[in-house]
Amino acid sequence: MTMIARRSRNSVCLLHDVLFSRQSLTCSYTQRQTYVDVYMKWKKDSFFDSIDTIHRSVQLKPLIAVKNCIVSSSPDDYCIPISAISKKGLELGVPIKVAQFLRLYPSVFEEFTGPNYNLPWFKLTQRAIELDREEREVYVNSKDDIILRLKKLILMSGREQMLPIKVIKGLQWYLGLPDELLRIPEDNLDGCFRVVELEDGLKGLAVNVDGSERFLSVMQRNAMKRGVYTGVEGEAIEFPLYPSKGLRLKRKIADWFDEFQKFPYVSPYEDYSGLDPNSDVAEKRVVGVLHELLSLFVEHAAERKKLLCLRKPLGLPQKVHKAFERHPYIFNLSLMNKTCTAILKEAYCDRGAIEEHPLAKVRKKYINLMKESEGILKRRRLNNRPIDRGNSNIKDLDCTDDEEMKSLT
């Protein structure tokens, strides 16, 4: 009996030590598990589906890539034979034959006959050249701002403060980083960045930060402006909500979300290692990370599948994509262009809440220039239309332009 009593006392002491050690190691937040299975039927929002800067970026991205290829190959006269880029379609992200793609945008790329009469050449139009110069001026004048966005992305990785360069390149378009920045990062980034060797011959980009330096998220800065946040660890910050027309939450879900808003806000730049991944506080951190991430992007939106590469580096759960569905008042999911795009509502419903990316205005101008191509192609079809429309054998070959346009959307 004495031996049993000793074992019992030892077990109690051991249990006490384990509980005490866990309590001292985990973060100071009160972590609760009140998970509610939030499922709502997806509802289309015409306002977010009509934002050109988001949904036309599918065509703009390869267009900018081709434009950059022409500029780098011929910086003096901005012209190039089709043979120089015809086999680079995959590298440039062009979904169809490069020559067909260039002919879809006559307002950007002008076709002409070069020295070899059997080979078409393309050059940038004067408007495209002017926009390219404006874009490069933005990179020069706003270099500090763009690099700070990259720095913040890396700092969201927690203690490691490092991301694989491969992952960063996957988000390069959204961050608005120039091509040369990641091509030779040692020469184009300041001293707070360093390149590190990873497994399998991969390289990573790490950030050196002074321990006294503290980064605030958009949520924290805006809450301080409103006077509802003092910066003390463990304070609650409520996410701004923007309900879509006709979208209502069930009472059970609404009650859970009201409680969810009262939980402590964990900054994306704080150490999250002590959080219980199944707690509501951990879910609020995930939502905060996605909110901050989209606020750094040019269009404050991204294809949802493109963000999956950040799951492990940013400590996000396996089903991180579900966070967008569980919080429809914070994020909008658009199914335009045969893909799912996550959009940060606050960026478009409260213009002063999130700082505009330096590249945003230039990209809008590119999209407006692209749209001019539609009018040019339409006039060409009208001018080339056969007089005798009664002959069913006569086909307007230029109609393929519309078909190619549709294939890109």
Side-chain angles (χ1 to χ4, degrees):
M1 292 294 292
T2 304
M3 184 66 71
I4 294 175
R6 286 179 180 174
R7 287 182 178 176
S8 178
R9 283 197 299 270
N10 290 339
S11 299
V12 172
C13 292
L14 179 60
L15 179 61
H16 177 271
D17 291 342
V18 171
L19 291 174
F20 183 81
S21 63
R22 284 185 179 176
Q23 187 177 5
S24 61
L25 287 175
T26 53
C27 60
S28 58
Y29 303 124
T30 302
Q31 302 182 52
R32 296 163 52 187
Q33 297 181 27
T34 58
Y35 183 86
V36 175
D37 187 13
V38 177
Y39 173 77
M40 286 179 295
K41 186 177 180 181
W42 174 84
K43 185 171 181 62
K44 182 177 180 179
D45 192 315
S46 58
F47 170 73
F48 291 102
D49 284 350
S50 64
I51 301 175
D52 272 349
T53 52
I54 294 176
H55 303 297
R56 291 232 179 202
S57 64
V58 175
Q59 298 97 37
L60 180 60
K61 183 179 178 181
L63 183 142
I64 295 292
V66 174
K67 182 266 300 179
N68 290 342
C69 184
I70 294 176
V71 173
S72 61
S73 301
S74 181
D76 296 327
D77 50 10
Y78 304 102
C79 64
I80 197 171
I82 189 60
S83 58
I85 54 173
S86 59
K87 295 182 180 180
K88 294 183 178 181
L90 186 62
E91 176 187 341
L92 299 173
V94 178
I96 57 178
K97 290 183 178 180
V98 177
Q100 291 177 341
F101 181 81
L102 295 174
R103 288 172 182 139
L104 288 177
Y105 302 103
S107 60
V108 182
F109 307 107
E110 181 180 341
E111 184 176 0
F112 67 100
T113 304
N116 186 342
Y117 290 95
N118 295 323
L119 192 67
W121 284 57
F122 289 89
K123 66 179 180 179
L124 298 184
T125 62
Q126 187 58 38
R127 291 276 303 282
I129 293 173
E130 292 171 0
L131 273 181
D132 175 73
R133 290 171 180 165
E134 184 177 344
E135 180 185 2
R136 295 180 186 282
E137 286 178 5
V138 170
Y139 284 134
V140 174
N141 298 333
S142 303
K143 183 178 179 180
D144 292 341
D145 183 292
I146 294 173
I147 288 181
L148 179 60
R149 292 170 189 266
L150 172 61
K151 188 176 183 179
K152 286 184 172 182
L153 173 66
I154 297 175
L155 289 176
M156 279 193 256
S157 61
R159 290 180 178 178
E160 293 186 0
Q161 297 183 345
M162 183 277 301
L163 285 178
I165 292 180
K166 183 178 180 180
V167 170
I168 298 174
K169 284 184 176 180
L171 301 173
Q172 179 179 346
W173 172 256
Y174 298 122
L175 287 167
L177 304 178
D179 293 337
E180 56 271 14
L181 195 69
L182 296 177
R183 192 176 295 129
I184 312 176
E186 299 92 336
D187 297 339
N188 295 300
L189 295 171
D190 55 40
C192 70
F193 293 90
R194 71 180 191 281
V195 177
V196 296
E197 297 292 333
L198 305 178
E199 297 178 356
D200 301 327
L202 298 177
K203 292 185 177 182
L205 195 60
V207 174
N208 300 320
V209 182
D210 183 2
S212 61
E213 188 177 9
R214 186 188 179 193
F215 288 84
L216 297 178
S217 66
V218 170
M219 285 282 296
Q220 289 172 313
R221 292 200 304 270
N222 290 341
M224 283 182 171
K225 290 178 183 178
R226 298 194 304 268
V228 296
Y229 180 69
T230 62
V232 178
E233 184 178 346
E235 279 188 274
I237 301 178
E238 296 188 0
F239 289 99
L241 305 181
Y242 303 94
S244 295
K245 188 178 295 185
L247 179 62
R248 294 183 180 179
L249 301 180
K250 295 180 180 179
R251 174 55 67 94
K252 182 180 180 181
I253 296 174
D255 291 343
W256 166 80
F257 195 74
D258 289 341
E259 193 69 21
F260 176 84
Q261 290 276 53
K262 299 175 184 177
F263 287 115
Y265 174 82
V266 183
S267 170
Y269 307 110
E270 289 181 24
D271 179 21
Y272 56 85
S273 58
L275 288 178
D276 179 356
N278 297 315
S279 65
D280 288 303
V281 176
E283 180 175 355
K284 190 164 185 178
R285 176 198 168 259
V286 171
V287 176
V289 168
L290 296 175
H291 184 285
E292 181 73 4
L293 187 65
L294 293 178
S295 73
L296 297 176
F297 291 169
V298 179
E299 288 88 18
H300 308 302
E303 285 186 70
R304 189 170 64 169
K305 63 183 179 182
K306 298 288 187 181
L307 303 179
L308 298 182
C309 64
L310 292 170
R311 284 183 305 196
K312 186 176 179 180
L314 301 191
L316 302 175
Q318 184 70 20
K319 295 184 178 181
V320 60
H321 59 280
K322 292 289 184 181
F324 295 112
E325 300 169 14
R326 285 172 60 83
H327 299 277
Y329 284 5
I330 302 173
F331 308 105
N332 175 263
L333 291 178
S334 173
L335 301 182
M336 297 287 288
N337 297 322
K338 299 178 182 179
T339 187
C340 184
T341 302
I343 306 170
L344 182 61
K345 285 188 169 184
E346 186 177 9
Y348 293 92
C349 297
D350 185 355
R351 293 288 181 176
I354 298 177
E355 185 180 357
E356 186 180 51
H357 193 287
L359 271 182
K361 291 181 180 178
V362 177
R363 286 192 181 176
K364 287 179 185 177
K365 292 180 181 180
Y366 271 118
I367 289 173
N368 290 334
L369 184 59
M370 285 170 55
K371 291 165 75 173
E372 292 182 15
S373 295
E374 298 173 8
I376 296 174
L377 294 175
K378 185 177 181 179
R379 287 192 293 272
R380 286 181 183 177
R381 287 194 300 273
L382 291 174
N383 293 335
N384 295 334
R385 181 179 295 174
I387 298 176
D388 183 10
R389 302 302 294 179
N391 188 348
S392 59
N393 294 324
I394 296 179
K395 182 180 179 181
D396 187 355
L397 296 179
D398 283 340
C399 287
T400 55
D401 291 332
D402 278 344
E403 295 171 1
E404 296 294 351
M405 280 285 192
K406 291 177 181 178
S407 70
L408 293 175
T409 59

